[in-house]
Every structure is written in C-alpha cells, then in structure tokens.
Amino acid sequence: AIARAGIPERVDPRIQGVTLEALQMKQPGADMVKKLYKEASEAFRKGEKWTRAADGGKVRREAKQEARSMLRDARIFEKQAAQAALRKTSVLCGTLTGFASALRDAGDDAEVSQFDVVVIDEASQATAPAVLLALPHLREGGSGRSRVILAGDHRQLPPTVLT
C-alpha cells in the first residue's frame, strides 16, 4: 500500500484517501479515539467550571483527572492506529518533515518504520544529511526493491544546496 505523510490539508483532494491520517481513521478503534478526545474535552470543560463547592473542589479535580486519563487512552489508541497503518505501507511519500512526524507518531517499533520505497518530496530543499536519515527506513532484503526517490521542482522552490 502507498501512504502520504504530512499535513492532510496540503494534499490534493484526489489523494486525500492515502494520507496517513485517512489510513489511520480506517483502522479498528479509530472511532474510539474520536470519542475519547470528545469526552476528554467535555470533562476538561466540566473541571474548569467554577462552582462554590463544599467538597473543596474535589469534583473539579476528579473531572480533570478523568479527562487526562481519557487523553492518555486516546493517544495510545491513536498510536496503535498509526502503527497499523504504517505496517501495511510499502511506499511512503512526503517531505522529510512529514516523515519525521509520521515516524514519531509510530513510536519505536522498527518493523513499522520499514518501507520498500521512500519518495522524498521537495527534495531540492533537503540537505544531504537530512536525506540520509531516510535510508534506515528502507526494508532490508535480497530482492533489491528498496529505493529512495527524490522528487521536487527546482523552479517552485530553489535548491538549498547548490553543489
């Protein structure tokens, strides 16, 4: 499968379905993430309401604690969805910044961050050391299929390195 890392709002509408965010939303438990974020937000609002309470603010503290717990759970589910989406991905496209964000979301699971092909967009803006950071994310194997593809329009964004 192919996935586009980066900010979904900056992606052409025709390929919105292959953004990592869209692929994450198709994973089991994705609707639970939305629900937990919504409930956490409501619990935070409840905890922020000022009331004169005889309990010394116990209800407010408990509401905030519950909200933090829901956010923690939502982040765990979100990370699992990101890992599941990346695990199914063989071709990852995006800018180096998009890769960094996507791989950070996936965590330390080496299996998740291995791809057959990495397409680096806006390569004319990338420095050589930054491009080299993509190499450890290529799948090892005897097939010889692992590739890094550099893409970019030198007329759209001028090169960062001229040598």
Side-chain angles (χ1 to χ4, degrees):
I2 187 168
R4 168 68 160 85
I7 301 170
E9 291 79 21
R10 294 187 183 168
V11 174
D12 188 298
R14 295 174 291 185
I15 60 168
Q16 283 285 332
V18 296
T19 62
L20 276 176
E21 186 173 282
L23 295 172
Q24 280 179 244
M25 296 311 293
K26 293 177 184 175
Q27 300 303 316
D31 46 352
M32 178 63 78
V33 172
K34 282 183 178 180
K35 181 180 175 187
L36 284 170
Y37 276 125
K38 183 178 179 182
E39 290 176 5
S41 178
E42 290 170 4
F44 270 123
R45 273 196 296 277
K46 180 180 176 185
E48 292 298 319
K49 285 185 180 176
W50 187 88
T51 57
R52 190 170 291 203
D55 64 3
K58 182 179 177 187
V59 172
R60 289 177 61 193
R61 281 192 301 279
E62 287 175 352
K64 287 181 181 181
Q65 186 175 10
E66 181 182 352
R68 283 190 288 274
S69 176
M70 283 188 266
L71 282 177
R72 198 171 19 257
D73 291 345
R75 288 185 189 115
I76 290 169
F77 284 126
E78 198 169 39
K79 182 177 178 179
Q80 290 171 346
Q83 289 175 337
L86 285 170
R87 198 171 279 116
K88 296 175 184 175
T89 300
S90 58
V91 179
L92 184 64
C93 308
T95 63
L96 291 169
T97 304
F99 292 151
S101 175
L103 297 173
R104 182 190 65 240
D105 292 346
D108 298 330
D109 190 346
E111 176 191 331
V112 170
S113 65
Q114 298 291 301
F115 311 98
D116 293 326
V117 179
V118 173
V119 180
I120 300 173
D121 193 14
E122 297 179 13
S124 66
Q125 290 289 295
T127 61
V131 171
L132 292 175
L133 292 174
L135 296 181
H137 299 290
L138 291 174
R139 258 191 205 109
E140 293 183 25
S143 67
R145 297 181 343 164
S146 296
R147 304 271 189 268
V148 173
I149 299 172
L150 304 177
D153 183 353
H154 66 285
R155 293 183 181 158
Q156 180 183 2
L157 294 170
T160 300
V161 180
L162 300 175
T163 58

